[in-house]
Amino acid sequence: MSGGSDSIRTPLARARGLGSARDGVGRWVALRVSAVANVFLIVWFVWFTLNAVGADYIQFSYHLGHPFNAVAMILFTMSAFWHAAIGMREIIEDYVECEALRIGALIMLYMIIFALGVTCIFSVLKIAALYGFNG
Amino acid sequence: MTTAPVKTVSAKDRSRPLSPHLQIYRPQITSVLSITHRMTGLALSIGIVFFVWWLIAAAAGPESYALFLAFCGSGFGQFLLFGWSLCLFYHLASGIRHLFWDVGHFLDLKGAYVTGYLVLAFTVLATAALWGWVWCVR
């Protein structure tokens, strides 16, 4: 019979896909990389929010419209939302037993994350276009 | 020899009782901080909706933004924001603790306990500092 790394497994076990998933390191890395990025971005976000407290609409728009803040806000949105998506995915995978519900929930999760994320980026770009340096 | 088809049995199908776990295992800083890390992550993910509302309100115009500010200033809004910031600082500190573990530091019992208490201290101090500034100084 053919050798290779699976030589001690029966053909039936291989066909059923039993054993390790042999996949998932990318997600592990993405969670950590987004976590490290979040550490820096959260420092900025707290500073940004404290400056926004008590600001009226025009002040806030110029605050967010500043290119540095607009870019940081978009980066924060992307990193935090991706990190949240991975974390929520792990929670759904751990606790939803019914396979149909689990797959449905995962699909809904990614749809919601992307819908909210793109909405945030669109909002920031709109404000930056109107209240940026040359807006 | 033919094998019977594999049939998985969920916990609900059992007629045999489960061994006690949660009701008998004493809560410790290791397990409690771990589940709290997950719960704060969940809470932060839900609270993201608030963040999205903030940006939408700002993009939509002064009236929408005024409505958003009014909600933030309300008692319920302040309560939600306080809770979200508490979760954020906890998850941030606990996350950094996880990153140290990922590179191999503080995995011994003493390291886990010391860093655990540091996480709790940071959470309380950072939240107190932030809201002390917001409510008292500003």
Side-chain angles (χ1 to χ4, degrees):
Chain A
M1 291 290 287
S2 61
S5 59
D6 286 338
S7 59
I8 64 170
R9 299 179 72 187
T10 64
L12 185 58
R14 255 183 76 214
R16 284 194 178 133
L18 299 176
S20 157
R22 306 170 79 92
D23 180 40
V25 175
R27 207 185 314 158
W28 189 91
V29 171
L31 193 66
R32 271 77 185 163
V33 170
S34 61
V36 173
N38 284 341
V39 172
F40 297 109
L41 290 165
I42 283 174
V43 171
W44 166 84
F45 180 71
V46 171
W47 169 86
F48 177 85
T49 305
L50 290 178
N51 272 287
V53 172
D56 64 22
Y57 180 74
I58 295 293
Q59 288 169 328
F60 177 74
S61 296
Y62 278 109
H63 184 47
L64 180 57
H66 188 291
F68 180 82
N69 286 336
V71 168
M73 184 60 92
I74 293 174
L75 289 174
F76 176 69
T77 300
M78 292 171 69
S79 181
F81 278 40
W82 193 239
H83 187 87
I86 297 175
M88 288 298 302
R89 178 176 175 162
E90 286 182 359
I91 290 177
I92 290 171
E93 286 174 344
D94 280 351
Y95 296 134
V96 181
E97 287 194 14
C98 166
E99 180 154 16
L101 272 180
R102 189 169 61 241
I103 293 174
L106 287 173
I107 293 173
M108 288 299 310
L109 170 70
Y110 280 97
M111 286 188 171
I112 291 171
I113 286 286
F114 275 98
L116 294 180
V118 171
T119 304
C120 286
I121 294 172
F122 167 79
S123 301
V124 173
L125 289 175
K126 182 172 183 232
I127 293 169
L130 292 170
Y131 295 93
F133 280 159
N134 300 312
Chain B
M1 184 181 86
T2 55
T3 52
V6 174
K7 181 173 178 280
T8 53
V9 179
S10 77
K12 297 183 286 301
D13 293 346
R14 286 178 204 249
S15 49
R16 299 189 299 274
L18 277 176
S19 310
H21 48 96
L22 284 179
Q23 59 263 47
I24 209 151
Y25 210 113
R26 186 201 307 171
Q28 290 151 10
I29 197 170
T30 45
S31 57
V32 170
L33 260 54
S34 176
I35 189 63
T36 307
H37 186 76
R38 176 166 274 199
M39 290 196 306
T40 51
L42 181 64
L44 288 170
S45 300
I46 295 170
I48 264 179
V49 172
F50 210 87
F51 168 78
V52 177
W53 181 20
W54 184 17
L55 294 182
I56 292 177
E63 299 91 16
S64 309
Y65 198 66
L67 178 69
F68 173 80
L69 285 183
F71 182 79
C72 284
S74 72
F76 185 52
Q78 292 280 289
F79 171 74
L80 289 179
L81 286 171
F82 180 83
W84 198 84
S85 66
L86 189 70
C87 292
L88 182 70
F89 288 129
Y90 176 86
H91 197 85
L92 173 66
S94 186
I96 293 174
R97 183 170 176 240
H98 266 283
L99 290 174
F100 273 109
W101 284 338
D102 285 339
V103 294
H105 289 307
F106 307 125
L107 283 165
D108 55 313
L109 197 62
K110 179 159 179 281
Y113 267 73
V114 167
T115 50
Y117 285 122
L118 281 175
V119 163
L120 291 172
F122 174 82
T123 304
V124 171
L125 291 172
T127 310
L130 176 73
W131 287 96
W133 185 88
V134 169
W135 285 330
C136 304
V137 173
R138 194 199 56 80

